[in-house]
Amino acid sequence: MTESIQHIAMNKARLAGADYADVRIVDLLKESILVKNGRVESAHRSQSSGFGVRVLLRGAWGFSSSNRMSAADAVRVTEEAVAIAHASQKAQRKRIELSPAESAKDFWATPVKIDPFTVSLEQKLALLDQAVSLLKSVQGVNLAEGSMNFWKRKQLFANTEGSLIEQEIIHSGAGVSATSIRDGEIQVRSYPNSFRGQYRSGGYELVEEMGMVENAERIGSEAVALHSARQCPSGVMTVILDGSQLGLQIHESCGHPTELDRVLGSEINFAGTSFLTTDKLGHFRYGSELVNLVADATPATSPGGLGTFAYDDEGIPARRVYLVRDGIFSDYLSSRETAREIGSRSTGAMRAMSWSTIPLVRMTNVNLLPGDSSLDEMIAATDEGLFMSTNRSWSIDDKRLHFQFGTEIGWLIKNGKVVEMVKNPTYSGTTPSFWGSCTAIAGPKEWTIWGTPNCGKGQPQQIISTGHGASPARFDNVSVGVAYGR
């Protein structure tokens, strides 16, 4: 990685009178493999390198970037960022100021046992072929898919306050799915999670530990069996969500509404604002007393999360912050700029998709802390309810208040026992009421950090990876079956 780029850019920004400037030099390596019905649908590897310079001058931002890593380009890009900052001042309604931060000089890398980019394509395809073949061997499975994805991001961050931080972050993910079509109805089952599986920070060892081969026939059989299952009933009842579905529930109904740039209205074009306005901070009841949600990017307490790092893209050390404590709304995901607006300090949530994009306030790992129950205990304590697993669809309004989710599969619970599989399960609700009805959360043994590698935000859109720790949890008086009527 070229060290002189940051020196040239920072010196140039200082000479131009910048109040603050930072530079990110990024090298991103990606690999993606997809197998369908025993055929390799795609297998490609790509690499992207470049740098971006962000300048705060007279209270206005300017940003520019380049994939050419020369001294001349460092000068040119910084001059462009300065010129854009001058232009931004003309449309600026108020001067931007940053909350204070300590400078740091450090290096951090994701702990890995097996670098996924050292594993041969043949070895990866052999594992996918085995799992997909078992899926396809189930009579009634029409489409059997398996995929793997890997990312390695090397980044150097420097700013005019003296920070110089290098990080190497590796993400690995894989999954299989079975699609069965009968009489115009489509049923899907996925493992370990829907939308191409489970993703975590770490190496190829995560893929080997997933058990895709061991679970392939079960997943295929469940996809076929769903055709014969009864339609999910409609009504109001107790719902138990598995950890993977709860991870997406957390993402949409807690992660996004606590992004402070959405709340302040500076980033609302893509997906709206938030019901968690600043007048609610510190006293609004978001959920029951069992509900504790943290934004946790720290490697010590969120190892393996897709939002785990040592420093965010403003050089803020990873933090563990209560967004909801004992059911009360407690804090936001924020940047140095947005935190300053509410008289606070950054919670370390600034992240950029690449060297060519500006950082935005993004989720890190937003985790529901475990409780003291278990899935078996929750089922045993339920007279009539529904256990739902693996997300299939979601919809939520622009304030992140009213939502509807569907899962791939559900099971009816009666008198403390699972009695019957049901198809097309859905549930709906309003965020504070739903989390307020949480009556049990499973303990640490059933807690997992689920990966969401495709969170979109901003215009132009940026895709970022987030993590969500969750264990199964129970909610009372939830509307179910709303998508298919009575």
Side-chain angles (χ1 to χ4, degrees):
M1 194 169 284
T2 306
E3 188 173 350
S4 62
I5 294 285
Q6 77 268 16
H7 292 145
I8 296 168
M10 294 301 92
N11 288 335
K12 190 69 180 176
R14 289 190 188 95
L15 290 172
D19 307 315
Y20 168 90
D22 60 36
V23 57
R24 289 176 297 108
I25 305 172
V26 180
D27 179 82
L28 181 61
L29 183 61
K30 298 181 186 178
E31 184 177 68
S32 178
I33 305 167
L34 175 62
V35 173
K36 288 185 178 180
N37 286 345
R39 293 181 55 186
V40 179
E41 190 80 3
S42 63
H44 58 85
R45 185 178 285 192
S46 63
Q47 188 165 12
S48 174
S49 301
F51 69 99
V53 176
R54 194 174 63 144
V55 170
L56 183 63
L57 193 150
R58 297 177 187 172
W61 285 116
F63 175 80
S64 187
S65 63
S66 176
N67 61 353
R68 290 180 290 187
M69 307 286 283
S70 71
D73 286 297
V75 171
R76 176 183 59 80
V77 166
T78 307
E79 288 176 343
E80 288 177 353
V82 168
I84 292 169
H86 280 298
S88 298
Q89 291 168 25
K90 298 175 183 176
Q92 196 85 357
R93 293 184 178 178
K94 59 182 177 181
R95 183 184 180 91
I96 293 170
E97 297 183 5
L98 304 181
S99 61
E102 290 75 36
S103 62
K105 294 186 178 180
D106 203 355
F107 171 82
W108 183 81
T110 303
V112 298
K113 295 179 180 177
I114 306 172
D115 185 333
F117 293 94
T118 66
V119 179
S120 70
L121 178 61
E122 289 75 17
Q123 184 176 342
K124 294 167 181 169
L125 286 174
L127 179 57
L128 288 175
D129 281 342
Q130 188 178 2
V132 168
S133 295
L134 288 168
L135 279 176
K136 196 70 177 70
S137 69
V138 177
Q139 188 172 6
V141 171
N142 303 93
L143 176 61
E145 296 181 80
S147 63
M148 293 184 187
N149 289 278
F150 307 98
W151 297 264
K152 180 188 288 186
R153 179 187 181 112
K154 296 180 179 179
Q155 176 169 311
L156 185 149
F157 171 89
N159 66 16
T160 49
E161 297 173 342
S163 288
L164 182 63
I165 300 163
E166 286 191 78
Q167 297 186 87
E168 180 176 298
I169 297 172
I170 295 178
H171 292 168
S172 299
V176 293
S177 67
T179 301
S180 179
I181 305 171
R182 183 193 299 174
D183 299 330
E185 181 181 77
I186 299 174
Q187 294 295 341
V188 179
R189 284 294 287 137
S190 308
Y191 181 87
N193 201 359
S194 50
F195 305 106
R196 301 198 172 168
Q198 164 70 319
Y199 297 81
R200 300 190 65 178
S201 61
Y204 191 74
E205 68 275 5
L206 300 174
V207 174
E208 293 183 326
E209 295 165 0
M210 280 182 184
M212 289 191 295
V213 171
E214 293 80 358
N215 286 277
E217 286 187 277
R218 175 181 63 83
I219 291 298
S221 298
E222 287 179 351
V224 176
L226 279 166
H227 289 295
S228 305
R230 185 154 69 94
Q231 177 67 40
C232 172
S234 62
V236 176
M237 63 177 66
T238 294
V239 165
I240 299 173
L241 301 180
D242 78 339
S244 67
Q245 170 57 31
L246 198 52
L248 189 63
Q249 178 77 49
I250 294 166
H251 180 97
E252 300 293 352
S253 66
C254 180
H256 279 307
T258 55
E259 293 168 343
L260 188 51
D261 56 348
R262 296 172 63 106
V263 176
L264 297 176
S266 57
E267 184 54 61
I268 62 174
N269 285 352
F270 180 69
T273 59
S274 169
F275 74 98
L276 289 174
T277 48
T278 54
D279 59 303
K280 296 182 173 69
L281 184 60
H283 62 85
F284 178 74
R285 178 154 290 284
Y286 176 92
S288 75
E289 293 182 351
L290 298 177
V291 177
N292 289 284
L293 289 150
V294 296
D296 188 358
T298 62
T301 50
S302 279
L306 292 185
T308 299
F309 46 73
Y311 298 86
D312 77 350
D313 286 344
E314 282 190 318
I316 301 297
R319 294 184 60 188
R320 184 176 189 267
V321 178
Y322 274 88
L323 301 176
V324 175
R325 185 192 288 265
D326 300 329
I328 302 298
F329 168 46
S330 301
D331 211 337
Y332 289 107
L333 295 156
S334 64
S335 63
R336 293 182 67 180
E337 175 187 342
T338 55
R340 175 66 180 242
E341 290 207 36
I342 62 168
S344 184
R345 298 185 67 146
S346 171
T347 53
M350 280 292 263
R351 306 174 69 192
M353 181 175 69
S354 77
W355 52 268
S356 62
T357 54
I358 60 170
L360 300 172
V361 175
R362 305 305 302 263
M363 287 176 243
T364 54
N365 304 301
V366 179
N367 305 330
L368 176 66
L369 298 187
D372 58 4
S373 186
S374 71
L375 178 58
D376 289 343
E377 288 175 354
M378 286 186 279
I379 291 173
T382 300
D383 292 331
E384 184 174 14
L386 189 63
F387 174 49
M388 302 172 68
S389 175
T390 319
N391 181 262
R392 188 173 183 181
S393 64
W394 69 95
S395 174
I396 190 164
D397 69 15
D398 62 349
K399 292 187 182 300
R400 304 284 154 171
L401 194 57
H402 304 284
F403 61 79
Q404 177 178 295
F405 288 90
T407 62
E408 291 183 352
I409 194 168
W411 289 270
L412 282 176
I413 303 168
K414 288 197 174 179
N415 301 320
K417 296 183 183 298
V418 172
V419 295
E420 183 181 4
M421 177 189 292
V422 295
K423 63 184 176 183
N424 306 321
T426 61
Y427 67 97
S428 62
T430 302
T431 297
S433 298
F434 176 78
W435 286 104
S437 71
C438 181
T439 53
I441 303 172
K445 290 183 179 178
E446 297 176 76
W447 193 87
T448 299
I449 291 189
W450 297 93
T452 302
N454 55 351
C455 176
K457 184 179 178 181
Q459 286 185 330
Q461 188 182 37
Q462 295 190 38
I463 304 297
I464 210 88
S465 298
T466 69
H468 303 291
S471 50
R474 187 182 65 198
F475 302 84
D476 290 339
N477 301 315
V478 178
S479 294
V480 302
V482 291
Y484 292 87
R486 297 179 182 275

